[in-house]
Amino acid sequence: MSVVEPGGGDAPEIPDGLYKARVTKVVDTEVDDDRFGNSEKVEVHLAFRDSDDIDQTLEPRINRKWGERAKLFEIALACGLDVDPHATFETQKLVGCSVNVLVETPEEGKWPRIKSWGRVKAASARSTTVTESSERKPGVLLPDGTVDWT
């Protein structure tokens, strides 16, 4: 079992918006204080450059559950993986995938949250890196997982 150290800093200030991120790492973890009793989690490490051109990282914890309604399944689909909700899934397949994330901060001083996950178009996923600056500003995530940049 892994040991988790308490956070040592203030919440990062990330402007609300849609960002293209890359999954850099996936770690299994456990928490004691989940209000719904889901102690087993998967921590998905994301790296991206925000609209102020600052490199950012977020590490949302997702329930370690698998099925059509599970958040982890939604993330795998957004990563463009061909997944089956009725078969086992290796979370390490997420590492290296590009994904669009809608980041919102609930209130000042709180940690930013990922409100939704969307698929990156194939050409866009191949052509950029995490640290590469983008001329595009945040856009709108459409229901089909694509982004409207206008």
Side-chain angles (χ1 to χ4, degrees):
M1 179 166 73
S2 62
V3 176
V4 179
E5 297 293 330
D10 294 328
E13 292 185 27
I14 301 174
D16 290 356
L18 184 67
Y19 300 103
K20 185 171 110 181
R22 181 168 300 280
V23 179
T24 59
K25 186 167 139 182
V26 178
V27 179
D28 290 338
T29 188
E30 290 189 24
V31 296
D32 295 329
D33 58 355
D34 185 272
R35 62 182 170 182
F36 300 108
N38 298 315
S39 62
E40 294 183 355
K41 304 284 183 180
V42 175
E43 200 172 73
V44 179
H45 295 237
L46 299 169
F48 59 96
R49 184 163 280 195
D50 71 17
S51 59
D52 293 331
D53 213 24
I54 298 171
D55 288 332
Q56 299 284 357
T57 60
L58 284 177
E59 300 161 1
R61 289 184 180 156
I62 312 299
N63 289 331
R64 195 180 313 159
K65 297 190 182 275
W66 187 249
E68 289 183 51
R69 296 182 53 175
K71 180 61 72 177
L72 194 55
F73 184 76
E74 176 186 339
I75 294 168
L77 289 176
C79 284
L81 300 176
D82 184 20
V83 292
D84 179 356
H86 305 292
T88 59
F89 177 70
E90 175 56 51
T91 59
Q92 292 304 309
K93 290 181 180 180
L94 298 174
V95 175
C97 291
S98 292
V99 63
N100 286 318
V101 291
L102 179 61
V103 177
E104 290 182 2
T105 303
E107 57 187 74
E108 191 172 327
K110 297 284 186 177
W111 277 85
R113 310 240 181 217
I114 297 178
K115 299 302 274 183
S116 67
W117 303 74
R119 188 176 287 189
V120 174
K121 289 183 181 176
S124 178
R126 284 184 275 117
S127 64
T128 60
T129 63
V130 172
T131 58
E132 186 176 304
S133 178
S134 175
E135 300 261 341
R136 296 180 178 172
K137 296 298 179 196
V140 176
L141 185 61
L142 300 174
D144 67 353
T146 60
V147 180
D148 179 2
W149 294 103
T150 57

